[in-house]
């Protein structure tokens, strides 16, 4: 039987080679922060300025890194794959996206950022997601709801990863 469906999952290791610190390493992103303070809805409610600053720093760092050979190799595979190809990343950086802009994928390719994306923001009231490349203020007003604020479009501890049903369907097909 010839399979025409491929699912690949990537995590922190793939972007570490580009110079993106992992969260759990001894010198990782949590260094100097309690996870609960910067990566939970409760932390955001308690100190939105700290949380926004933490993610603003991560967003700024993206301008200093580039996709590495692994990102490029996956982009090349996606360009040649004849069938469904789902690339699921736990990473919130945009390095896969950039690699695929350089080497456009074949039809049937999809990329899911299951833990969200640093370069997007989400309205706390409506859930609407917007592209967001600059800094975000602690009380950043939402363009989507008069009483909403914008928060990082990041899946925090205690929240459900994005697109889980779609990922599961793809896994059954591959």
């Amino acid at each position: 039987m010839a399979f025409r469906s491929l699912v690949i999952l990537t995590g922190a290791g793939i972007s570490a080679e580009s110079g993106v610190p992992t969260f759990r390493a001894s010198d990782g992103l949590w260094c100097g922060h309690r996870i609960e303070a910067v990566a939970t809805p409760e932390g955001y409610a308690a100190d939105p300025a700290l949380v926004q600053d933490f993610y603003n720093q991560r967003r700024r760092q993206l301008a200093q890194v580039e996709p590495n050979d692994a990102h490029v190799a996956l982009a090349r595979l996606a360009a040649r794959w004849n069938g469904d190809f789902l690339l699921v990343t736990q990473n919130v950086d945009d390095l896969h996206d950039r690699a695929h802009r350089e080497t456009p994928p074949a039809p049937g390719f999809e990329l899911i950022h299951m833990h969200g994306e640093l370069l997007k923001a989400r309205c706390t009231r409506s859930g609407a997601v917007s592209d967001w490349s600059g800094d975000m203020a602690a009380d950043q007003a939402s363009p989507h709801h008069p009483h909403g604020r914008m928060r990082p479009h990041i899946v925090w501890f205690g929240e459900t990863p994005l697109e889980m049903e779609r990922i599961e369907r793809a896994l059954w097909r591959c």
Side-chain angles (χ1 to χ4, degrees), residues 53-130:
D53 181 58
F54 179 81
Y55 290 98
N56 286 341
Q57 290 177 45
R58 309 287 78 76
R59 214 174 286 111
R60 282 184 231 124
Q61 182 187 33
L62 288 181
Q64 301 168 19
V65 297
E66 295 294 328
N68 62 52
D69 290 345
H71 296 105
V72 171
L74 287 173
R76 288 179 180 155
L77 175 61
R80 293 189 319 266
W81 186 258
N82 184 18
D84 294 334
F85 185 151
L86 179 61
L87 177 56
V88 180
T89 187
Q90 297 175 25
N91 299 338
V92 297
D93 61 56
D94 67 336
L95 297 178
H96 282 300
D97 303 88
R98 285 195 253 165
H100 290 282
R101 278 195 294 272
E102 293 295 318
T103 306
F109 174 81
E110 294 182 77
L111 172 61
I112 294 177
H113 289 268
M114 69 185 298
H115 290 160
E117 298 178 65
L118 275 173
L119 296 178
K120 293 192 177 181
R122 184 177 343 138
C123 176
T124 58
R125 289 293 182 107
S126 71
V129 176
S130 301

